[in-house]
Amino acid sequence: MSADEDPGPPSPRPRLRVAVVGAGPAGIYTAEALTRQQEVPVAVDLIDRLPTPFGLVRHGIAPDHPKMRAIRDTLHRALDHPAVRFVGNVEIGRDLSCRELHAAVDAVVYTYGAALDRQLGIPGEELPGSLAATALVAWYTGHPDADRATVEAALARARSVVVVGVGNVALDVARVLARTPAELESTDMPQHVLDALAAAPVEQVTVLGRRGPAQATFTTQELRELGELAEADVLVDPADLELDAAAEERVAADRVVARNLAVLREWAGHTARPGRATVTLRFFTRPVRLLGEDRVAGVEVERTVVDADGRASGTGETTVLPADLVVRSVGYRGGELPELPLDPRAGTVPHDLGRVLRGGAPSPGEYVAGWIKRGPTGVVGTNKHDARETVATLLADVAAGVVRPGGVSGDDDLVTTLRANGADPVLLEDWRAIDAAEVALGATRGRARTTLHEWESLLAAVREAAARAR
Ligand SMILES: Cc1cc2nc3c(=O)[nH]c(=O)nc-3n(C[C@H](O)[C@H](O)[C@H](O)COP(=O)(O)OP(=O)(O)OC[C@H]3O[C@@H](n4cnc5c(N)ncnc54)[C@H](O)[C@@H]3O)c2cc1C
């Protein structure tokens, strides 16, 4: 080019192509953090194995908490950004391998959550009538992979329920099981879930904590709600609320623990009113064996003591609680994605500030955020800070030249590649069709929405909307 030739407008800076694997809160906050910064132009593909976004906000947060579930309206704003493309119904590891995905974009952020349950590791755990909270929650929130037959068979006989664990998920489960049909009527639960819960003969729910109330991880708001159930009374043994010096210290140091204790003390010594269900909170008690021949009939439990470090140990004093249904809620863990490292004990992907570590060394262009990064702790908002940390690391790698925008060899569109591989991606307008179908289904019974719970009905909503548009 000669000196007086017009160079024309500067060529646009290449976009950083990022694939985010998992459209739960962590994935959505990652997309948001990427599009909010000005340093590097981006194009984000937000991939999920489900044809619907929001992860556990849709299939975890209890349906009788509509205000909490409304957070999806806020999350939706990130999906509407022009630089973000929702690519649902695509499972990484099945429709495209991690390696293929990595080769198709400049960077991948894994935000696929921690959806597996942890086991109690006690005899009888495999008996029918013993469920993981993950299975029950998936069912009542209408997850399309929920095992309907197993959950409904267990619920049909569930007069006495034992919930193992004293976190918020355990309280969600206890509360949902103790609610009346009228209390659940306006939720977005699928109709078969409402029908099965209405038919379940639940009379008593016992929540077991192996340690004391000072070590329980539930929050005060969730706890207090148990006392507001329409037709169930909360029972607590006052002896469980007597604190030793270490527990007193925790109460003094932690406002949540102090508030929890205050709520529990209001209930201590109450007796059940006739004709009402009960929710009993039993502390210093751990299950040692599920009893029953061909299905759960009871739980042998052991009294514990808690040492100064908060560790529980058995006293040898055992008793049997009647139980037709046992729900274990003792934590979630992340599963392995083929070709991605996983620390099997922690159930998380090893990382340094969000950079995936392979053999202890950072793997260029691979990142992680959310539950699969830090484990299953914290509320939805915790994932926002977490995603920001990971995006800051990714941008630092771009600035350092470790990740180059436009650095991938081909410029094939990811969705085109997926379709060529036989996948059937569900895009944002398709999700909008599912959303509209759920609102329309809810309206038939005077509800704001009813969750579509089958793969077939979810994908049919997409097909029908596409046919109408033609
Ligand atoms: C039962 C329950 C109730 C909760 N209630 C509350 C509450 O009331 N309030 C609150 O603040 N927090 C609550 N939480 C916590 C909150 O839901 C989590 O903090 C948050 O959802 C974690 O976000 P995440 O994006 O890491 O994982 P997830 O929300 O699990 O999202 C992961 C996404 O990845 C997708 N995915 C998985 N594998 C693949 C794959 N191979 N390819 C493509 N996509 C994949 C999944 O379909 C999912 O959409 C609750 C959690 C649970 C389990």
Side-chain angles (χ1 to χ4, degrees):
M1 187 170 67
S2 66
D4 56 350
E5 238 179 302
D6 178 7
S11 62
R13 283 193 292 159
R15 283 170 174 241
L16 179 74
R17 289 170 57 180
V18 183
V20 179
V21 180
I28 294 178
Y29 287 132
T30 298
E32 188 184 76
L34 282 164
T35 52
R36 284 214 170 149
Q37 53 81 39
Q38 313 290 327
E39 296 154 51
V40 183
V42 293
V44 182
D45 280 319
L46 183 53
I47 302 168
D48 205 286
R49 60 181 293 275
L50 295 182
T52 52
F54 309 131
L56 288 168
V57 170
R58 181 178 163 96
H59 292 301
I61 293 182
D64 64 337
H65 280 170
K67 280 202 191 121
M68 198 57 227
R69 282 168 79 80
I71 198 165
R72 61 203 227 166
D73 299 338
T74 316
L75 295 175
H76 212 293
R77 279 187 230 136
L79 297 182
D80 290 331
H81 193 286
V84 176
R85 180 168 58 171
F86 173 64
V87 185
N89 198 27
V90 169
E91 183 171 328
I92 299 305
R94 181 193 66 185
D95 297 312
L96 205 64
S97 70
C98 291
R99 195 169 308 150
E100 288 168 317
L101 181 63
H102 197 180
V105 294
D106 302 317
V108 182
V109 185
Y110 292 99
T111 57
Y112 65 94
L116 305 180
D117 71 281
R118 289 195 184 271
Q119 302 234 312
L120 297 168
I122 59 173
E125 197 171 3
E126 307 309 325
L127 281 171
S130 160
L131 293 180
T134 44
L136 191 68
V137 170
W139 171 78
Y140 70 55
T141 59
H143 194 293
D145 289 340
D147 183 350
R148 219 184 126 173
T150 302
V151 174
E152 288 174 25
L155 260 185
R157 299 166 173 235
R159 201 170 293 282
S160 300
V161 182
V162 169
V163 179
V164 183
V166 280
N168 279 341
V169 177
L171 295 196
D172 281 350
V173 165
R175 193 183 65 250
V176 165
L177 292 177
R179 282 218 191 267
T180 61
E183 286 177 288
L184 297 174
E185 175 60 29
S186 63
T187 68
D188 59 12
M189 287 175 172
Q191 190 58 44
H192 71 272
V193 171
L194 292 169
D195 293 343
L197 286 171
V202 177
E203 287 175 0
Q204 43 181 339
V205 180
T206 306
V207 181
L208 297 187
R210 72 194 153 95
R211 299 186 294 165
Q215 289 87 20
T217 56
F218 44 61
T219 50
T220 313
Q221 200 186 335
E222 294 262 349
L223 182 65
R224 195 171 277 134
E225 250 186 292
L226 287 182
E228 293 159 7
L229 292 170
E231 284 181 23
D233 292 326
V234 191
L235 308 180
V236 186
D237 181 349
D240 279 358
L241 306 183
E242 284 164 18
L243 306 179
D244 62 13
E248 290 281 12
E249 249 175 61
R250 277 188 68 83
V251 172
D254 188 327
R255 285 215 310 257
V256 176
V257 176
R259 284 196 210 112
N260 287 349
L261 250 305
V263 173
L264 290 165
R265 285 192 173 124
E266 283 171 30
W267 296 329
H270 282 188
T271 47
R273 286 170 282 179
R276 290 167 64 86
T278 56
V279 177
T280 305
L281 298 169
R282 263 182 95 125
F283 297 97
F284 303 105
T285 307
R286 69 177 186 193
V288 287
R289 196 152 52 108
L290 303 195
L291 307 169
E293 289 293 308
D294 50 0
R295 52 169 299 107
V296 169
V299 187
E300 185 179 328
V301 296
E302 181 182 24
R303 189 79 185 159
T304 64
V305 284
V306 175
D307 66 19
D309 297 326
R311 273 190 298 265
S313 54
T315 59
E317 185 193 326
T318 62
T319 170
V320 172
L321 302 178
D324 316 290
L325 170 62
V326 175
V327 185
R328 60 180 181 275
S329 178
V330 289
Y332 282 59
R333 68 190 165 88
E336 202 161 354
L337 206 55
E339 301 172 356
L340 197 68
L342 186 88
D343 173 347
R345 223 171 48 84
T348 52
V349 171
H351 73 96
D352 174 28
L353 296 173
R355 267 180 210 102
V356 171
L357 298 176
R358 288 184 182 272
S363 170
E366 287 191 301
Y367 305 86
V368 68
W371 272 19
I372 194 58
K373 171 185 174 189
R374 59 173 209 282
T377 57
V379 293
V380 168
T382 318
N383 301 290
K384 190 170 195 163
H385 306 287
D386 189 54
R388 282 185 184 159
E389 178 189 74
T390 294
V391 168
T393 300
L394 166 52
L395 294 175
D397 284 353
V398 173
V402 176
V403 172
R404 281 188 303 122
V408 288
S409 48
D411 57 357
D412 281 355
D413 176 65
L414 188 63
V415 167
T416 313
T417 308
L418 284 162
R419 288 197 174 121
N421 278 9
D424 185 14
V426 160
L427 305 184
L428 188 62
E429 56 273 27
D430 303 325
W431 150 243
R432 287 211 172 96
I434 294 172
D435 193 39
E438 293 192 335
V439 170
L441 181 60
T444 62
R445 298 212 183 215
R447 300 177 189 134
R449 128 186 344 263
T450 292
T451 303
L452 291 176
H453 65 280
E454 288 165 319
W455 283 99
E456 182 42 37
S457 51
L458 289 160
L459 298 177
V462 173
R463 280 196 303 273
E464 283 158 22
R468 279 197 301 276
R470 275 199 292 274

